[in-house]
Amino acid sequence: MSAHCSCRRYRRRWIRSLRRVAGRVVPLFISVDPEHDTPDRLRRFVAAFSPAIIGLTGSRQEIGKLVQDYHVHVAAARPGHPAAWTIRTCNI
């Protein structure tokens, strides 16, 4: 997922899932969009959900290895207006 994700359905599902596992796991949010998701943006994004979430990013190469190792599908698209930015991922 990207901190630019605007899909409310996935955000709601993510929040419900976090509530179910609260206190039993440490949730990680790993951005697949390092060009847009700066460490400061990630910090603000995850803080809006829960202080327990750890937000991570890295270089394009580091994220690429993680995506490959965990078999995550990621595709970038810029629908319509050039300022629009969408990151499509499969959910694990």
Side-chain angles (χ1 to χ4, degrees), residues 26-67:
V26 176
L28 298 177
F29 177 92
I30 303 172
S31 173
V32 296
D33 187 11
E35 287 82 19
H36 292 95
D37 294 342
T38 63
D40 184 58
R41 179 163 174 80
L42 279 177
R43 191 173 11 268
R44 289 182 282 127
F45 181 77
V46 298
F49 294 101
S50 168
I53 301 170
I54 297 173
L56 300 172
T57 189
S59 69
R60 176 62 56 202
Q61 293 79 18
E62 291 167 326
I63 293 169
K65 177 154 178 30
L66 184 84
V67 164

Side-chain angles (χ1 to χ4, degrees), residues 1-40:
M1 194 186 310
S2 167
H4 282 74
C5 178
S6 62
C7 182
R8 290 184 182 151
R9 180 176 55 144
Y10 288 119
R11 284 185 180 195
R12 283 192 303 264
R13 187 181 303 165
W14 194 45
I15 291 168
R16 282 194 308 270
S17 296
L18 288 174
R19 287 181 183 144
R20 282 194 300 268
V21 298
R24 295 180 292 165
V25 299
V26 176
L28 298 177
F29 177 92
I30 303 172
S31 173
V32 296
D33 187 11
E35 287 82 19
H36 292 95
D37 294 342
T38 63
D40 184 58

